[in-house]
Amino acid sequence: MSTILVFCPARDGLLRPVCKEIVSAAKRISGDLNARVTAVTFGEVSDAATLGAFGASTVVQLTSPALGSYSTEGYAQAASEFIQSESPLAVFFAATARGKDLAPRVAARVGRPLFSDCTELKVEGGQLHAQRPMYAGKVILWAKINGGFGVLTLRPKAFLPAEVGGSAAVESRAVNVDAAKVRAQVVEEKATSGGELDVSEADIVVSGGRGLKAAEHFKLIEDLAHTLGGAVGASRAVVDAGWRSHHEQVGQTGKVVSPTLYIAIAISGAVQHLAGMTTSRVIVAINKDADAPIFKVATYGIVGDAFEIVPKLTEELRKVVGH
Ligand code: FAD
Protein backbone atom coordinates (compact mmCIF):
# COMPACT_ATOMS: atom_id res chain seq x y z
CA MET A 1 0.00 0.00 0.00
CA SER A 2 1.35 3.40 -0.94
CA THR A 3 1.80 6.15 1.59
CA ILE A 4 1.23 9.81 2.36
CA LEU A 5 4.35 11.25 3.96
CA VAL A 6 3.74 13.90 6.61
CA PHE A 7 6.82 15.82 7.76
CA CYS A 8 6.19 16.77 11.37
CA PRO A 9 8.04 19.69 12.96
CA ALA A 10 9.42 19.38 16.48
CA ARG A 11 11.08 21.69 18.96
CA ASP A 12 13.28 20.64 21.89
CA GLY A 13 12.60 16.98 21.09
CA LEU A 14 8.78 17.37 21.19
CA LEU A 15 6.24 17.53 18.37
CA ARG A 16 4.66 20.91 17.57
CA PRO A 17 0.85 21.04 18.00
CA VAL A 18 0.39 21.41 14.21
CA CYS A 19 1.58 17.80 13.73
CA LYS A 20 -1.75 16.42 14.96
CA GLU A 21 -3.56 18.66 12.48
CA ILE A 22 -1.57 17.67 9.40
CA VAL A 23 -1.50 13.97 10.28
CA SER A 24 -5.31 14.12 10.76
CA ALA A 25 -5.66 15.86 7.38
CA ALA A 26 -3.69 13.04 5.76
CA LYS A 27 -5.69 10.37 7.57
CA ARG A 28 -8.98 11.90 6.42
CA ILE A 29 -8.12 11.50 2.71
CA SER A 30 -6.05 8.33 3.04
CA GLY A 31 -9.04 5.98 2.62
CA ASP A 32 -10.04 7.52 -0.72
CA LEU A 33 -6.43 7.30 -1.92
CA ASN A 34 -6.04 3.77 -0.57
CA ALA A 35 -2.95 4.93 1.28
CA ARG A 36 -1.49 4.72 4.74
CA VAL A 37 -0.06 7.68 6.63
CA THR A 38 3.63 7.84 7.53
CA ALA A 39 4.73 10.66 9.80
CA VAL A 40 8.37 11.74 9.46
CA THR A 41 10.51 13.67 11.94
CA PHE A 42 14.00 15.11 11.71
CA GLY A 43 15.89 13.48 14.55
CA GLU A 44 14.38 11.63 17.48
CA VAL A 45 11.23 12.97 19.06
CA SER A 46 10.16 11.58 22.41
CA ASP A 47 6.39 11.81 21.82
CA ALA A 48 6.54 10.46 18.24
CA ALA A 49 4.27 7.49 19.03
CA THR A 50 1.37 9.81 19.99
CA LEU A 51 0.77 10.44 16.27
CA GLY A 52 -0.65 6.91 16.03
CA ALA A 53 -3.83 8.15 17.72
CA PHE A 54 -4.27 10.67 14.89
CA GLY A 55 -3.88 8.14 12.09
CA ALA A 56 -0.16 7.63 11.44
CA SER A 57 0.59 3.93 11.04
CA THR A 58 4.35 4.55 11.21
CA VAL A 59 6.59 7.35 12.45
CA VAL A 60 10.00 7.43 10.78
CA GLN A 61 12.68 9.43 12.57
CA LEU A 62 15.38 10.52 10.12
CA THR A 63 18.79 10.52 11.73
CA SER A 64 22.13 11.98 10.71
CA PRO A 65 24.82 13.83 12.67
CA ALA A 66 24.13 16.79 10.34
CA LEU A 67 20.48 17.08 11.50
CA GLY A 68 21.39 18.29 15.00
CA SER A 69 20.42 21.89 14.34
CA TYR A 70 18.24 23.26 11.53
CA SER A 71 19.70 23.97 8.12
CA THR A 72 17.57 24.37 5.00
CA GLU A 73 20.02 22.46 2.84
CA GLY A 74 20.69 19.64 5.32
CA TYR A 75 17.02 19.05 6.11
CA ALA A 76 16.10 19.30 2.40
CA GLN A 77 18.72 16.68 1.52
CA ALA A 78 17.42 14.33 4.24
CA ALA A 79 13.75 14.81 3.25
CA SER A 80 14.43 14.38 -0.48
CA GLU A 81 16.45 11.20 0.01
CA PHE A 82 13.68 9.69 2.11
CA ILE A 83 10.89 10.78 -0.28
CA GLN A 84 12.72 9.25 -3.25
CA SER A 85 13.09 5.95 -1.40
CA GLU A 86 9.34 5.80 -0.64
CA SER A 87 7.50 6.72 -3.91
CA PRO A 88 4.70 8.41 -1.92
CA LEU A 89 1.22 9.45 -3.10
CA ALA A 90 1.60 12.89 -1.49
CA VAL A 91 4.03 14.76 0.74
CA PHE A 92 2.82 17.18 3.40
CA PHE A 93 4.67 19.84 5.38
CA ALA A 94 3.16 22.35 7.83
CA ALA A 95 3.00 25.88 6.45
CA THR A 96 5.05 27.14 9.39
CA ALA A 97 8.06 29.42 8.85
CA ARG A 98 10.33 26.37 8.68
CA GLY A 99 7.96 24.28 6.56
CA LYS A 100 7.66 27.17 4.09
CA ASP A 101 11.43 27.38 3.98
CA LEU A 102 11.89 23.69 3.37
CA ALA A 103 9.03 22.51 1.17
CA PRO A 104 9.90 24.48 -2.02
CA ARG A 105 13.49 23.29 -1.89
CA VAL A 106 12.38 19.69 -1.36
CA ALA A 107 9.85 19.95 -4.21
CA ALA A 108 12.58 21.22 -6.52
CA ARG A 109 14.98 18.46 -5.48
CA VAL A 110 12.45 15.68 -6.10
CA GLY A 111 11.17 17.37 -9.28
CA ARG A 112 7.53 17.58 -8.19
CA PRO A 113 5.04 20.48 -8.01
CA LEU A 114 4.57 22.54 -4.84
CA PHE A 115 1.15 23.59 -3.50
CA SER A 116 1.65 26.06 -0.71
CA ASP A 117 -0.58 27.14 2.18
CA CYS A 118 -3.41 24.66 1.49
CA THR A 119 -6.57 25.10 3.53
CA GLU A 120 -8.65 22.13 2.35
CA LEU A 121 -8.09 18.78 0.65
CA LYS A 122 -10.35 16.36 -1.19
CA VAL A 123 -10.07 13.31 -3.41
CA GLU A 124 -12.06 13.14 -6.64
CA GLY A 125 -11.70 10.45 -9.26
CA GLY A 126 -8.86 8.97 -7.23
CA GLN A 127 -6.85 12.21 -7.47
CA LEU A 128 -5.85 14.60 -4.72
CA HIS A 129 -7.21 18.15 -4.98
CA ALA A 130 -5.93 20.98 -2.78
CA GLN A 131 -7.52 24.33 -2.00
CA ARG A 132 -5.53 27.49 -1.35
CA PRO A 133 -6.38 31.18 -1.03
CA MET A 134 -4.73 33.48 -3.56
CA TYR A 135 -4.39 37.25 -4.12
CA ALA A 136 -4.55 38.05 -0.42
CA GLY A 137 -7.59 35.79 0.02
CA LYS A 138 -9.70 37.33 -2.78
CA VAL A 139 -9.63 34.14 -4.83
CA ILE A 140 -9.93 30.55 -3.69
CA LEU A 141 -8.15 28.12 -5.98
CA TRP A 142 -8.64 24.37 -6.24
CA ALA A 143 -5.74 22.57 -7.89
CA LYS A 144 -5.74 18.99 -9.14
CA ILE A 145 -2.49 17.16 -8.72
CA ASN A 146 -1.78 15.23 -11.91
CA GLY A 147 0.66 12.51 -12.83
CA GLY A 148 2.40 11.71 -9.57
CA PHE A 149 2.68 13.22 -6.16
CA GLY A 150 2.67 16.84 -5.06
CA VAL A 151 4.49 18.52 -2.19
CA LEU A 152 1.95 20.45 -0.10
CA THR A 153 2.26 22.83 2.82
CA LEU A 154 -0.86 22.83 5.02
CA ARG A 155 -1.87 25.99 6.86
CA PRO A 156 -1.76 25.60 10.67
CA LYS A 157 -5.23 25.60 12.30
CA ALA A 158 -6.98 25.03 8.95
CA PHE A 159 -7.33 21.28 9.63
CA LEU A 160 -8.95 19.98 12.80
CA PRO A 161 -7.02 17.31 14.69
CA ALA A 162 -9.09 14.14 15.08
CA GLU A 163 -8.23 11.18 17.27
CA VAL A 164 -8.96 7.94 15.48
CA GLY A 165 -7.50 5.67 18.13
CA GLY A 166 -4.72 3.81 16.31
CA SER A 167 -1.12 3.21 17.29
CA ALA A 168 2.07 3.90 15.36
CA ALA A 169 5.26 1.90 14.98
CA VAL A 170 8.25 4.20 15.56
CA GLU A 171 11.44 3.51 13.63
CA SER A 172 14.70 5.32 12.91
CA ARG A 173 16.19 5.69 9.45
CA ALA A 174 19.75 6.88 8.89
CA VAL A 175 19.99 9.34 5.99
CA ASN A 176 23.03 10.68 4.17
CA VAL A 177 23.46 14.39 4.56
CA ASP A 178 26.52 15.88 2.91
CA ALA A 179 27.61 18.40 5.53
CA ALA A 180 29.91 20.08 2.99
CA LYS A 181 26.80 21.16 1.04
CA VAL A 182 25.22 22.81 4.08
CA ARG A 183 26.23 26.44 3.62
CA ALA A 184 24.17 28.01 6.42
CA GLN A 185 23.19 26.47 9.74
CA VAL A 186 21.12 27.80 12.64
CA VAL A 187 23.58 28.23 15.54
CA GLU A 188 21.26 29.71 18.15
CA GLU A 189 17.55 30.33 18.67
CA LYS A 190 16.22 32.87 21.14
CA ALA A 191 12.56 33.11 22.12
CA THR A 192 11.30 36.63 21.52
CA SER A 193 7.78 36.30 22.81
CA GLY A 194 8.70 35.52 26.43
CA GLY A 195 6.81 32.24 26.40
CA GLU A 196 3.59 33.84 25.12
CA LEU A 197 1.38 31.80 22.80
CA ASP A 198 2.24 32.28 19.12
CA VAL A 199 -0.56 33.80 17.01
CA SER A 200 -0.26 31.13 14.33
CA GLU A 201 -0.69 28.31 16.86
CA ALA A 202 -3.37 29.84 19.09
CA ASP A 203 -7.01 28.72 19.04
CA ILE A 204 -8.11 32.23 19.93
CA VAL A 205 -6.43 35.41 18.67
CA VAL A 206 -7.32 38.90 19.90
CA SER A 207 -5.81 41.56 17.64
CA GLY A 208 -5.60 45.30 18.09
CA GLY A 209 -5.21 48.07 15.53
CA ARG A 210 -4.29 51.73 15.19
CA GLY A 211 -7.65 52.79 16.58
CA LEU A 212 -6.26 51.97 20.04
CA LYS A 213 -4.20 55.15 19.66
CA ALA A 214 -1.21 54.24 21.90
CA ALA A 215 0.96 51.25 22.83
CA GLU A 216 -0.16 51.30 26.47
CA HIS A 217 -3.80 50.80 25.42
CA PHE A 218 -2.87 47.30 24.26
CA LYS A 219 -3.41 46.33 27.90
CA LEU A 220 -7.08 46.06 26.87
CA ILE A 221 -6.16 43.52 24.20
CA GLU A 222 -3.83 41.59 26.51
CA ASP A 223 -6.47 41.37 29.25
CA LEU A 224 -9.08 40.02 26.86
CA ALA A 225 -6.62 37.58 25.25
CA HIS A 226 -5.45 36.26 28.64
CA THR A 227 -9.03 35.90 29.87
CA LEU A 228 -9.81 33.73 26.85
CA GLY A 229 -6.49 31.85 26.94
CA GLY A 230 -5.62 33.30 23.54
CA ALA A 231 -2.74 35.09 21.83
CA VAL A 232 -2.30 38.80 21.11
CA GLY A 233 -2.16 39.85 17.45
CA ALA A 234 -1.65 43.22 15.81
CA SER A 235 -2.18 45.05 12.54
CA ARG A 236 0.81 46.29 10.61
CA ALA A 237 0.00 49.92 11.43
CA VAL A 238 0.56 49.08 15.08
CA VAL A 239 3.79 47.18 14.39
CA ASP A 240 5.11 49.98 12.16
CA ALA A 241 4.36 52.44 14.97
CA GLY A 242 6.55 50.32 17.27
CA TRP A 243 3.68 49.53 19.66
CA ARG A 244 3.98 45.76 19.17
CA SER A 245 6.63 43.48 17.77
CA HIS A 246 6.53 41.99 14.29
CA HIS A 247 6.03 38.39 15.48
CA GLU A 248 2.47 39.41 16.44
CA GLN A 249 1.59 40.95 13.07
CA VAL A 250 -1.27 39.29 11.22
CA GLY A 251 -1.58 39.70 7.47
CA GLN A 252 0.05 39.52 4.11
CA THR A 253 3.46 40.56 5.42
CA GLY A 254 2.90 39.08 8.87
CA LYS A 255 1.53 35.71 9.96
CA VAL A 256 -1.42 33.87 8.47
CA VAL A 257 -3.75 32.61 11.18
CA SER A 258 -6.83 30.36 11.15
CA PRO A 259 -7.96 30.23 14.78
CA THR A 260 -11.36 29.07 15.99
CA LEU A 261 -12.05 32.64 17.12
CA TYR A 262 -10.45 35.86 15.82
CA ILE A 263 -11.37 39.14 17.51
CA ALA A 264 -10.34 42.28 15.58
CA ILE A 265 -10.45 45.41 17.71
CA ALA A 266 -10.07 48.89 16.18
CA ILE A 267 -8.74 47.34 12.97
CA SER A 268 -10.16 48.74 9.73
CA GLY A 269 -9.83 45.50 7.73
CA ALA A 270 -7.44 46.51 4.94
CA VAL A 271 -7.07 43.79 2.32
CA GLN A 272 -3.52 43.06 3.52
CA HIS A 273 -4.82 42.40 7.04
CA LEU A 274 -7.71 40.25 5.75
CA ALA A 275 -5.17 38.12 3.86
CA GLY A 276 -3.94 36.84 7.20
CA MET A 277 -7.18 36.02 9.00
CA THR A 278 -10.24 35.42 6.79
CA THR A 279 -10.01 31.63 7.15
CA SER A 280 -10.64 31.98 10.92
CA ARG A 281 -13.75 30.00 11.89
CA VAL A 282 -15.52 32.81 13.78
CA ILE A 283 -14.56 36.47 13.36
CA VAL A 284 -15.71 39.16 15.79
CA ALA A 285 -15.04 42.80 14.87
CA ILE A 286 -15.27 45.78 17.19
CA ASN A 287 -14.99 49.13 15.41
CA LYS A 288 -16.60 52.52 15.86
CA ASP A 289 -17.03 52.95 12.09
CA ALA A 290 -20.03 50.93 10.88
CA ASP A 291 -18.63 51.06 7.33
CA ALA A 292 -15.22 49.60 8.22
CA PRO A 293 -14.37 46.80 5.75
CA ILE A 294 -13.64 44.39 8.61
CA PHE A 295 -17.43 44.02 9.07
CA LYS A 296 -17.68 42.46 5.59
CA VAL A 297 -15.80 39.39 6.81
CA ALA A 298 -17.03 39.39 10.41
CA THR A 299 -19.36 36.70 11.74
CA TYR A 300 -20.38 39.08 14.54
CA GLY A 301 -19.82 42.83 14.59
CA ILE A 302 -20.04 45.39 17.38
CA VAL A 303 -20.17 49.03 16.28
CA GLY A 304 -18.86 51.19 19.09
CA ASP A 305 -15.92 52.52 21.03
CA ALA A 306 -13.37 49.83 21.91
CA PHE A 307 -12.42 51.72 25.07
CA GLU A 308 -15.97 51.25 26.39
CA ILE A 309 -16.78 47.82 24.95
CA VAL A 310 -13.59 45.80 25.52
CA PRO A 311 -13.30 46.25 29.32
CA LYS A 312 -16.98 45.30 29.73
CA LEU A 313 -16.57 42.29 27.45
CA THR A 314 -13.49 41.13 29.38
CA GLU A 315 -15.29 41.56 32.70
CA GLU A 316 -18.30 39.53 31.55
CA LEU A 317 -16.13 36.81 30.03
CA ARG A 318 -14.09 36.56 33.25
CA LYS A 319 -17.30 35.65 35.06
CA VAL A 320 -17.90 32.86 32.56
CA VAL A 321 -14.39 31.43 32.22
CA GLY A 322 -13.24 32.20 35.74
CA HIS A 323 -9.84 33.83 35.09
P1 FAD B 1 -6.39 51.84 10.39
O1 FAD B 1 -6.62 51.48 8.97
O2 FAD B 1 -5.96 53.22 10.71
O3 FAD B 1 -7.76 51.53 11.15
C1 FAD B 1 -8.01 51.87 12.46
C2 FAD B 1 -9.46 51.50 12.75
O4 FAD B 1 -9.74 51.74 14.09
C3 FAD B 1 -10.48 52.31 11.92
O5 FAD B 1 -11.31 51.40 11.22
C4 FAD B 1 -11.25 53.09 12.97
O6 FAD B 1 -12.62 53.22 12.65
C5 FAD B 1 -11.07 52.22 14.19
N1 FAD B 1 -11.17 52.94 15.46
C6 FAD B 1 -10.60 54.14 15.80
N2 FAD B 1 -10.84 54.45 17.07
C7 FAD B 1 -11.62 53.45 17.56
C8 FAD B 1 -12.21 53.20 18.82
N3 FAD B 1 -12.07 54.03 19.85
N4 FAD B 1 -12.95 52.07 18.97
C9 FAD B 1 -13.13 51.22 17.93
N5 FAD B 1 -12.57 51.41 16.71
C10 FAD B 1 -11.82 52.49 16.53
N6 FAD B 1 -1.57 45.44 7.39
C11 FAD B 1 -1.70 44.41 8.25
O7 FAD B 1 -2.47 44.49 9.22
N7 FAD B 1 -0.98 43.26 8.08
C12 FAD B 1 -0.11 43.09 7.06
O8 FAD B 1 0.54 42.05 6.97
C13 FAD B 1 0.03 44.15 6.12
N8 FAD B 1 0.85 44.03 5.06
C14 FAD B 1 0.92 45.07 4.13
C15 FAD B 1 1.69 44.90 2.99
C16 FAD B 1 1.74 45.91 2.05
C17 FAD B 1 2.57 45.71 0.82
C18 FAD B 1 1.03 47.11 2.26
C19 FAD B 1 1.07 48.22 1.25
C20 FAD B 1 0.27 47.28 3.39
C21 FAD B 1 0.21 46.26 4.36
N9 FAD B 1 -0.56 46.40 5.51
C22 FAD B 1 -0.71 45.34 6.33
C23 FAD B 1 -1.14 47.71 5.90
C24 FAD B 1 -2.62 47.84 5.59
O9 FAD B 1 -2.78 48.33 4.27
C25 FAD B 1 -3.27 48.87 6.57
O10 FAD B 1 -2.59 50.09 6.49
C26 FAD B 1 -3.25 48.41 8.03
O11 FAD B 1 -3.75 47.09 8.13
C27 FAD B 1 -4.13 49.33 8.85
O12 FAD B 1 -4.04 48.98 10.19
P2 FAD B 1 -5.25 49.31 11.18
O13 FAD B 1 -6.49 48.67 10.70
O14 FAD B 1 -4.76 49.00 12.54
O15 FAD B 1 -5.32 50.91 11.09
Side-chain angles (χ1 to χ4, degrees), residues 4 20 23 26 33 36 47 70 93 96 111 124 142 149 151 155 176 203 228 239 254 258 262 277 310-311:
I4 303 171
K20 294 173 185 170
V23 167
L33 286 174
R36 64 198 159 78
D47 54 350
Y70 181 71
F93 286 86
T96 55
E124 268 178 20
W142 274 102
F149 70 91
V151 177
R155 182 181 288 191
N176 291 313
D203 249 349
L228 294 170
V239 173
S258 285
Y262 187 85
M277 42 65 74
V310 178

Side-chain angles (χ1 to χ4, degrees), residues 209-211 213 235-237 249-254 266-268 270 272-273 287-289 304-307:
R210 181 152 50 193
K213 294 177 182 66
S235 71
R236 175 159 161 183
Q249 186 183 314
V250 172
Q252 189 182 321
T253 44
I267 291 178
S268 57
Q272 297 90 352
H273 188 81
N287 197 302
K288 67 177 187 184
D289 174 7
D305 187 343
F307 294 101

